[in-house]
Amino acid sequence: MMKKQLIMEKALELFAKQGFEATSVQQITEQCGISKGAFYLAFKSKDELILSLIDHFMMQFTSDLDCIVRDTEETNEVLYKFYYSNFSSFYKYSDFAKTFMKEQTHTFNEEFILKIHYYDSQLEKIILCMIERIYGKNLPVKLDIMYSIKGFTNIYSHLFLFSQVPFDLHQLAQSLVEKTELLAKHAKVPFLTEELYQNAKHPVTEEQQKEKILEIIDQKTDELKDDSIVQESFSLLKQQLHEPAFSPAIVKGLLENIRHHPNCQWITYLLQSYWKI
Amino acid sequence: MMKKQLIMEKALELFAKQGFEATSVQQITEQCGISKGAFYLAFKSKDELILSLIDHFMMQFTSDLDCIVRDTEETNEVLYKFYYSNFSSFYKYSDFAKTFMKEQTHTFNEEFILKIHYYDSQLEKIILCMIERIYGKNLPVKLDIMYSIKGFTNIYSHLFLFSQVPFDLHQLAQSLVEKTELLAKHAKVPFLTEELYQNAKHPVTEEQQKEKILEIIDQKTDELKDDSIVQESFSLLKQQLHEPAFSPAIVKGLLENIRHHPNCQWITYLLQSYWKI
DNA sequence: TATAATAATGACTAAGTGGTCATTTGTCAA
DNA sequence: TTGACAAATGACCACTTAGTCATTATTATA
């Protein structure tokens, strides 16, 4: 349908300039030279429009990269082609890329978030597949390399999209290939383990979270035997975790007791987010 | 003033969950248990609130990092401390970090953008200063290392903020130190030159932009001598640049002629953004 | 040409926004 | 207890929003 395409194009231009929420359906229809009713004939809602845009572009972007990673015969060319294709897509779909980067973390719409997560994990799969093709399945820092690649593409895309300077994509790709190769061949200190990665991707249930917190408390209690205040605080927090009894002020105070201890920041954070305080 | 602080705290929680625009002043005042009027006694407008938040947290964050980079005596500890401090700040101010990442590229408010750019360039200065301290002033890939560091911190912060998994910040910092050292010591292929970097940071005027475009057209015309269509297209586009005469359809067609040629994507983009089409 | 079917319109609604200000409440010293 | 001053309130305003639907225009078919 022609209308749909027209709306998508014009809307995207506006979204790129102003953001999704700041752009009204009115503005979109004016830009298209159509009526408000016509808009709602093409799309059920404003949300459906952005969802369609995400699908349209991300399918293109993702499959482009997938083809390159799968079809490039020479493994020593894959990385270069990956980076080059990545940045030229960002250029080609720059309006979409801008909108996407803007709204990437907005939480106002559940479906929206799910879609973005879906395509993000697809991209991660593609990068991992590429890494395995080039460096073999058993590269110990595989996941960190994947994250480094994502970091590189993100930060340079940002520069690329939000400045007006002409970039030499060839030089950029070459420069990133060298960096990636260096990291893949020499980096030995891992951070992202398979387990950590899986956990980060699949957020745990409240019950599982509680188990994990108790585990860490036990560990920390053991580590900090010489501080009786911390010992007691942990003990009381553990009670509270099993059966809420103390007032918010008391809980807050107990958390304060442990917050400033070395290596206790994370457990403090976990407890806070568990109790939503 | 206590009220101001209360509002800032509660507002930040809401912003982190829903985003700035999606959070109404009403919601904020409800969360604080105060009236709408009281809000406007503390802040002149909703915009003033977010601007205050940015200042409050970014000043803290920036000066924390600055101290570490300046005051750490042992140069071989600086990198580690930088990364560790960076991520613990993200943890400490996680609500702010979420909000900030969400709104980072929104363009609805000029002052907002200026502030974010200001603090971003401060951060870049600090990182550059750190790099110079560790590796000396003449590291050839200085700016790319700076961007790599930004890329690392960005992408891991993202994982860190939007997942619930407990992270070992020590391990993360160590892992990133190793990566940075590898890049700084062995990377030889530069991408970001001093000139490119300066241009990206200080967007050029329309007149300068035109000059630059003409320059690139001349260069490309020279490169692609064997394609007469491209030659003529460039020649006509140059005319149009000096004095607009052709209709939009003709200009669009000329752009199509050059768009798909290798290495002509950027100039096509520049022309499009110059003519705002 | 007449009829049916489809496409497009834009005034309208209900809900929600940021921001204002006449009024009420609270807190002092006298 | 009074009165003066500041702090806090929330009904209210003008405006914008996404979405609806009775009406009109266009097209295809008989």
Side-chain angles (χ1 to χ4, degrees):
Chain A
M1 187 185 279
M2 286 322 282
K3 269 286 153 52
K4 254 186 160 162
Q5 212 176 319
L6 175 72
I7 293 172
M8 283 168 83
E9 275 173 28
K10 299 291 181 186
L12 195 52
E13 287 171 22
L14 291 169
F15 290 163
K17 270 185 221 144
Q18 311 170 337
F20 175 67
E21 286 190 273
T23 303
S24 67
V25 174
Q26 190 122 304
Q27 276 180 286
I28 297 170
T29 57
E30 274 167 21
Q31 194 76 201
C32 295
I34 61 167
S35 71
K36 220 165 179 196
F39 176 92
Y40 283 95
L41 284 177
F43 294 95
K44 271 211 289 293
S45 67
K46 199 184 162 191
D47 277 10
E48 201 196 84
L49 166 62
I50 186 102
L51 256 25
S52 297
L53 281 171
I54 295 177
D55 271 332
H56 181 258
F57 285 98
M58 286 311 288
M59 282 161 82
Q60 192 68 45
F61 178 76
T62 308
S63 58
D64 278 1
L65 284 182
D66 189 57
C67 285
I68 281 186
V69 169
R70 298 183 108 86
D71 300 347
T72 305
E73 300 280 334
E74 297 287 321
T75 54
N76 63 341
E77 281 179 8
V78 179
L79 256 182
Y80 175 86
K81 286 196 174 173
F82 169 86
Y83 280 122
Y84 195 93
S85 166
N86 186 298
F87 291 112
S88 25
S89 291
F90 265 81
Y91 144 73
K92 213 158 91 199
Y93 315 129
S94 66
D95 272 347
F96 174 73
K98 278 180 199 169
T99 308
F100 191 68
M101 280 190 147
K102 266 179 225 239
E103 313 294 341
Q104 208 172 144
T105 50
H106 266 229
T107 46
F108 60 94
N109 184 321
E110 190 65 25
E111 213 181 328
F112 192 98
I113 297 290
L114 282 174
K115 255 205 188 352
I116 289 177
H117 272 67
Y118 169 75
Y119 286 111
D120 190 51
S121 69
Q122 290 298 312
L123 176 62
E124 292 190 352
K125 266 190 216 158
I126 292 172
I127 297 177
L128 277 174
C129 163
M130 173 172 78
I131 293 172
E132 285 175 1
R133 264 202 64 190
I134 306 175
Y135 306 108
K137 274 204 186 295
N138 300 315
L139 189 70
V141 292
K142 194 161 71 175
L143 291 168
D144 284 299
I145 299 299
M146 188 265 281
Y147 255 72
S148 300
I149 292 174
K150 277 182 74 178
F152 289 146
T153 55
N154 269 18
I155 202 75
Y156 279 100
S157 299
H158 210 272
L159 184 70
F160 179 67
L161 284 177
F162 296 96
S163 85
Q164 306 270 42
V165 183
F167 280 170
D168 182 343
L169 295 193
H170 167 70
Q171 185 72 19
L172 175 55
Q174 274 200 322
S175 154
L176 292 183
V177 167
E178 188 204 28
K179 292 188 181 66
T180 313
E181 296 258 86
L182 277 169
L183 296 182
K185 284 190 181 140
H186 301 108
K188 295 276 172 285
V189 183
F191 166 66
L192 267 182
T193 59
E194 202 70 51
E195 189 211 346
L196 193 59
Y197 178 63
Q198 290 305 330
N199 284 341
K201 294 212 73 89
H202 306 290
V204 288
T205 66
E206 199 159 290
E207 194 50 42
Q208 292 169 311
Q209 186 71 354
K210 188 169 146 188
E211 289 300 315
K212 197 155 252 163
I213 290 175
L214 285 169
E215 208 175 285
I216 299 177
I217 287 186
D218 286 341
Q219 180 197 327
K220 292 291 168 195
T221 312
D222 208 55
E223 272 177 30
L224 300 164
K225 279 210 181 78
D226 48 346
D227 188 328
S228 65
I229 293 288
V230 170
Q231 286 283 324
E232 206 186 326
S233 299
F234 271 134
S235 162
L236 291 170
L237 286 167
K238 216 169 144 179
Q239 274 180 44
Q240 175 78 359
L241 216 49
H242 282 120
E243 197 165 301
F246 299 124
S247 74
I250 292 180
V251 174
K252 186 123 205 246
L254 292 173
L255 287 174
E256 284 304 316
N257 291 343
I258 59 169
R259 180 196 297 284
H260 299 295
H261 267 75
N263 308 324
C264 286
Q265 296 185 324
W266 183 256
I267 181 65
T268 315
Y269 173 72
L270 283 183
L271 284 165
Q272 277 182 330
S273 70
Y274 182 81
W275 284 318
K276 295 175 182 64
I277 50 176
Chain B
M1 188 185 278
M2 285 323 280
K3 269 285 153 50
K4 254 186 160 162
Q5 211 176 318
L6 175 72
I7 293 172
M8 283 169 82
E9 275 172 28
K10 298 292 180 186
L12 196 52
E13 287 170 22
L14 291 169
F15 291 162
K17 269 184 222 144
Q18 312 170 335
F20 176 66
E21 285 190 274
T23 303
S24 67
V25 174
Q26 190 123 303
Q27 276 180 288
I28 296 170
T29 57
E30 275 166 22
Q31 195 75 202
C32 295
I34 61 167
S35 70
K36 222 168 179 193
F39 176 92
Y40 282 95
L41 284 178
F43 294 96
K44 271 212 287 294
S45 66
K46 198 185 164 193
D47 277 10
E48 202 196 84
L49 165 62
I50 186 97
L51 256 23
S52 296
L53 281 170
I54 295 177
D55 272 331
H56 181 258
F57 285 98
M58 286 311 288
M59 282 162 81
Q60 193 68 46
F61 178 75
T62 308
S63 59
D64 278 1
L65 285 182
D66 190 55
C67 285
I68 281 185
V69 169
R70 298 181 108 85
D71 299 347
T72 305
E73 301 279 335
E74 299 287 321
T75 54
N76 62 342
E77 282 179 6
V78 180
L79 257 182
Y80 174 86
K81 287 196 173 172
F82 169 85
Y83 280 121
Y84 195 95
S85 165
N86 186 297
F87 291 113
S88 30
S89 291
F90 266 81
Y91 144 74
K92 213 158 91 198
Y93 315 130
S94 66
D95 271 347
F96 174 73
K98 279 179 198 166
T99 308
F100 192 67
M101 280 190 147
K102 267 179 223 234
E103 313 294 342
Q104 208 172 144
T105 52
H106 267 228
T107 47
F108 60 94
N109 184 320
E110 190 65 23
E111 214 181 329
F112 193 98
I113 297 292
L114 282 175
K115 254 205 193 343
I116 289 176
H117 272 68
Y118 170 75
Y119 286 112
D120 190 50
S121 68
Q122 290 297 314
L123 176 62
E124 293 190 351
K125 266 189 217 159
I126 292 172
I127 297 178
L128 277 174
C129 163
M130 173 173 76
I131 294 172
E132 286 175 0
R133 265 202 63 188
I134 306 176
Y135 306 108
K137 275 207 187 292
N138 299 315
L139 190 71
V141 292
K142 194 162 70 175
L143 291 168
D144 285 300
I145 299 299
M146 188 264 281
Y147 255 72
S148 302
I149 291 175
K150 277 182 74 178
F152 290 146
T153 53
N154 269 18
I155 201 76
Y156 280 100
S157 299
H158 211 273
L159 184 70
F160 179 67
L161 284 177
F162 296 96
S163 85
Q164 305 271 44
V165 183
F167 280 170
D168 182 344
L169 295 192
H170 168 70
Q171 185 72 18
L172 175 55
Q174 274 200 324
S175 155
L176 292 183
V177 166
E178 187 203 28
K179 292 187 180 68
T180 314
E181 296 258 86
L182 277 169
L183 296 181
K185 285 192 179 138
H186 302 107
K188 294 276 173 282
V189 183
F191 166 67
L192 268 181
T193 60
E194 201 69 52
E195 190 211 347
L196 193 60
Y197 179 62
Q198 289 306 330
N199 283 341
K201 292 211 73 88
H202 305 290
V204 289
T205 67
E206 199 159 290
E207 195 50 41
Q208 292 171 310
Q209 186 72 354
K210 189 170 147 189
E211 290 300 314
K212 197 156 251 161
I213 291 176
L214 286 169
E215 208 174 285
I216 299 177
I217 288 185
D218 286 340
Q219 180 199 326
K220 292 291 167 197
T221 312
D222 208 55
E223 272 176 29
L224 301 163
K225 279 212 181 78
D226 49 346
D227 187 329
S228 66
I229 293 289
V230 170
Q231 285 282 322
E232 204 184 328
S233 299
F234 271 136
S235 163
L236 291 170
L237 286 167
K238 216 170 143 179
Q239 273 180 43
Q240 175 78 2
L241 216 49
H242 281 121
E243 198 166 299
F246 300 124
S247 72
I250 294 181
V251 174
K252 186 122 204 244
L254 292 173
L255 286 175
E256 283 305 314
N257 291 343
I258 60 168
R259 180 195 299 284
H260 298 295
H261 268 73
N263 307 324
C264 285
Q265 296 185 324
W266 182 254
I267 181 65
T268 315
Y269 171 73
L270 283 185
L271 283 165
Q272 278 182 331
S273 70
Y274 183 80
W275 284 319
K276 295 175 183 66
I277 50 177

